[in-house]
């Protein structure tokens, strides 16, 4: 399970579907001032809609140099 901070009051929770279901259940059944928006990664579940967010992972000893070249600045 990963919780990414995107900006003030905006997060991206990534993990197993069962955990995301649990979070959505608690949001719906509790008295929380939050909203959720599911971005299914499987087009069959999403009715053919492509994902909104794509994540790429780069690893290895040259990962930082590669990302610096790709985005034009230091990724740190």
């Amino acid at each position: 399970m990963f919780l990414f901070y995107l900006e003030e009051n905006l997060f991206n929770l990534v993990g197993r579907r069962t955990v995301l279901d649990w979070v959505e259940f608690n949001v719906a059944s509790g008295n929380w001032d939050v909203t959720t928006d599911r971005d299914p990664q499987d087009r069959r579940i999403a009715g053919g809609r492509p994902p909104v967010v794509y994540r790429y992972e780069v690893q290895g000893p040259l990962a930082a140099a590669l990302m610096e070249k790709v985005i034009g600045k230091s990724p740190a």
Side-chain angles (χ1 to χ4, degrees):
M1 184 62 48
F2 298 94
L3 180 63
F4 294 96
Y5 172 83
L6 303 177
E7 60 186 59
E8 187 172 341
N9 297 319
L10 185 62
F11 299 87
N12 186 2
L13 181 62
V14 178
R16 293 189 161 275
R17 190 178 316 175
T18 53
V19 176
L20 301 175
D21 289 343
W22 180 85
V23 170
E24 284 187 329
F25 169 79
N26 282 280
V27 166
S29 62
N31 187 21
W32 306 100
D33 184 20
V34 298
T35 59
T36 62
D37 181 30
R38 181 75 65 108
D39 185 21
Q41 297 299 305
D42 188 329
R43 287 179 181 231
R44 293 170 294 175
I45 296 171
R49 176 181 66 81
V52 174
V53 175
Y54 291 86
R55 277 181 314 280
Y56 297 93
E57 298 178 17
V58 181
Q59 332 180 29
L62 302 176
L66 173 64
M67 291 309 300
E68 186 168 333
K69 185 174 181 178
V70 168
I71 64 175
K73 63 181 184 177
S74 176

